[in-house]
Amino acid sequence: MPRPALTTTLLSLALLTACNANGTAESAAQSAAKDTAATAQDAGDRQARETREIGPFSVETVAAFDEPWALSFLPDGRLLVSEKPGALRLVDVASGRAGEVTGVPDVVYGGQGGFGDVVPHPEFAENGMVYLSYAEAGDGDTAGAAVARARLVTDDAGGGALENLEVVWRQVPKVSGRGHYAHRIVFHDGMLWIGSGDRQKFDPAQDMASNMGKVLRLNDDGSVPADNPFAGQGEVAAQVWSLGHRNPLGVAFDDNGQLWDIEMGPKGGDELNRVERGANYGYPIVSNGDHYDGRPIPDHDTRPEFNAPAITWTPVISPSSLVFYSGDLFPDWKGDAFAGGLSSQALVRIEFEGDRAWEAERFEMGARIRGVRQGPDGALWVIEDGKGGRLLKLTPKG
């Protein structure tokens, strides 16, 4: 839906970018994020507590943001929301008010790049640590994903600050272009897992001298676990859990401790993969889609040595995120997964039986869905993509 209240801020952002033609456009965009987010917050306040029905859901608008990218709940029920231009918000979900968290590192904003994921450490209640991913500048016009950790110190104004920020992982090497960072992160069994995109460079997904196009497993300080499948190879190969991935934008564990990733295919062939230790998923050698210039890519069934996806979507859904549901508000969906869809403008429910998975239902949301999480009370929370993207709470209707 149109959001005219953002027009003035967008014009200001354009002027700031023009004034920084010497290569500092990203910094200008990040410094303008505060004003843009304030306008988005005002728009969100006007829409707050608007409720409508979509399929089985009662959908409540809670707040609005400037290009929100990720959301994660803290143990006290407050919500962290990252904004792609380079801002972090702490949201009181009862009121919808979003305070600013300072100390976010500089990000390379543009294309698919900027501020990415934000996830609290499993022991956040004791150590106050949060992990964040973002696009980091390199030499010349290069960039790459990075993951950092910092201590979150909140304040009485509803915001806070990140202190003692430390980078624990970087994509290697940094390359040109602004696509396929992926940089989704998740914790499981005390380990840090990272979905690292191929940066639209294709070959790194099969190159063990690069950690692009891979799913990675690290200790929480960024060091490499001794039992990783390629630990003996050293260097960045030691970080790798699986390879042959394209753009893994959702990584999540099911109730049995099995890791799944959902990733954008090329022209067709979006994938849900059951991620196994040391496995190769074949990209760019195989894919159930084709190159955007029309060149065909052999399908997975032509090369059985590569792990085939559990689900392939053609036409694509453009997945953005993945979460497994374990709550009580929707008891029939326990053990199912939900994926956000960008081009499909949908929330996609996925069912599982052993190693098998299939799309069970698709809910048309009327907007590009960038992220999805389960809330403490079992509600589903989603964020829309883009300027003025709304934070929505989904509960059973009726």
Side-chain angles (χ1 to χ4, degrees):
M1 61 186 290
R3 295 176 177 83
L6 295 178
T7 303
T8 301
T9 301
L10 292 174
L11 179 58
S12 298
L13 180 56
L15 289 171
L16 279 166
T17 301
C19 290
N20 283 272
N22 61 356
T24 61
E26 290 87 358
S27 298
Q30 192 165 2
S31 66
K34 184 185 296 187
D35 292 339
T36 306
T39 305
Q41 180 67 57
D42 291 342
D45 290 345
R46 289 193 292 274
Q47 297 176 39
R49 305 311 177 228
E50 167 193 286
T51 303
R52 63 193 191 282
E53 292 184 352
I54 297 176
F57 302 117
S58 175
V59 180
E60 180 184 11
T61 299
V62 176
F65 300 92
D66 175 28
E67 297 186 66
W69 205 92
L71 67 166
S72 285
F73 281 93
L74 296 177
D76 64 6
R78 287 184 292 179
L79 186 66
L80 289 170
V81 176
S82 66
E83 295 178 321
K84 187 176 157 186
L88 181 60
R89 308 295 168 188
L90 181 60
V91 184
D92 178 343
V93 297
S95 66
R97 297 300 301 171
E100 180 188 8
V101 177
T102 61
V104 174
D106 290 338
V107 307
V108 176
Y109 171 69
Q112 296 175 18
F115 191 9
D117 219 346
V118 55
V119 175
H121 188 278
E123 298 175 2
F124 176 86
E126 289 74 39
N127 62 28
M129 299 294 289
V130 296
Y131 287 66
L132 42 144
S133 68
Y134 58 100
E136 179 186 58
D139 294 334
D141 193 36
T142 65
V147 173
R149 63 178 181 177
R151 184 167 178 262
L152 172 63
V153 179
T154 60
D155 58 35
D156 294 338
L162 297 176
E163 297 183 351
N164 302 319
L165 187 124
E166 172 192 16
V167 176
V168 298
W169 174 82
R170 288 182 167 98
Q171 276 181 336
V172 176
K174 286 184 166 62
V175 296
S176 60
R178 297 293 182 262
H180 293 192
Y181 297 94
H183 57 34
R184 282 288 182 188
I185 55 181
V186 65
F187 277 97
H188 182 72
D189 283 347
M191 297 292 181
L192 172 65
W193 302 74
I194 305 170
S196 177
D198 77 330
R199 295 288 278 109
Q200 295 179 308
K201 302 303 180 185
F202 308 105
D203 294 339
Q206 295 293 327
D207 182 0
M208 295 299 284
S210 169
N211 54 17
M212 298 188 292
K214 315 289 196 304
V215 172
L216 312 170
R217 176 180 182 254
L218 304 173
N219 295 314
D220 65 357
D221 63 357
S223 63
V224 175
D227 61 346
N228 269 9
F230 304 103
Q233 296 187 26
E235 303 299 332
V236 296
Q239 304 173 359
V240 176
W241 185 258
S242 62
L243 63 150
H245 299 280
R246 183 175 183 268
N247 193 18
L249 283 165
V251 287
F253 284 85
D254 65 21
D255 291 342
N256 297 316
Q258 173 61 54
L259 177 62
W260 299 79
D261 96 282
I262 195 164
E263 55 190 271
M264 287 192 182
K267 188 177 181 181
D270 288 349
E271 297 181 2
L272 177 76
N273 291 302
R274 185 177 186 271
V275 181
E276 298 180 327
R277 172 190 174 87
N280 188 333
Y281 292 82
Y283 191 76
I285 300 168
V286 293
S287 172
N288 289 356
D290 292 319
H291 292 293
Y292 280 99
D293 62 9
R295 289 178 296 128
I297 304 173
D299 288 349
H300 277 87
D301 59 13
T302 67
R303 297 289 296 270
E305 69 269 31
F306 297 122
N307 281 31
I311 302 176
T312 297
W313 284 273
T314 303
V316 298
I317 60 172
S318 303
S320 65
S321 46
L322 185 71
V323 67
F324 279 87
Y325 186 76
S326 61
D328 294 325
L329 281 185
F330 303 99
D332 292 342
W333 295 344
K334 283 190 175 183
D336 294 353
F338 288 87
L342 294 167
S343 65
S344 56
Q345 298 192 4
L347 188 64
V348 178
R349 183 170 69 86
I350 302 167
E351 291 184 352
F352 298 81
E353 183 177 337
D355 296 347
R356 296 176 55 243
W358 60 93
E359 179 180 330
E361 205 165 3
R362 189 178 300 196
F363 306 108
E364 305 295 336
M365 301 299 294
R368 290 163 55 88
I369 301 303
R370 174 54 71 179
V372 55
R373 290 282 187 186
Q374 177 184 316
D377 63 354
L380 286 168
W381 291 75
V382 302
I383 46 173
E384 298 173 341
D385 193 41
K387 302 288 185 183
R390 294 173 297 181
L391 172 67
L392 308 174
K393 181 180 182 182
L394 281 56
T395 55
K397 71 179 182 183

